[in-house]
Amino acid sequence: MLGWALTFFVVALIAAVFGFGGIASASAGVAQILFFLFLILFVVAVVARAVRGKPPV
């Protein structure tokens, strides 16, 4: 999922360089949503692993 967020971020940067404002903002929005979703899932996985008694890696 982080890979998709980075992909949309790169698309947003390229679109911004070429002046496509709508595409750039849409891609940046998708990248931001995916990034925060990735962070939330990561925190949930770390907490779930700690609750099971396994030490964090």
Side-chain angles (χ1 to χ4, degrees), residues 4-47:
W4 280 104
L6 291 175
T7 302
F8 277 104
F9 180 69
V10 170
V11 168
L13 288 177
I14 292 170
V17 167
F18 289 118
F20 299 116
I23 296 172
S25 64
S27 294
V30 171
Q32 186 178 12
I33 291 169
L34 289 175
F35 180 74
F36 285 119
L37 185 61
F38 168 78
L39 284 179
I40 291 168
L41 290 175
F42 175 74
V43 169
V44 169
V46 168
V47 169

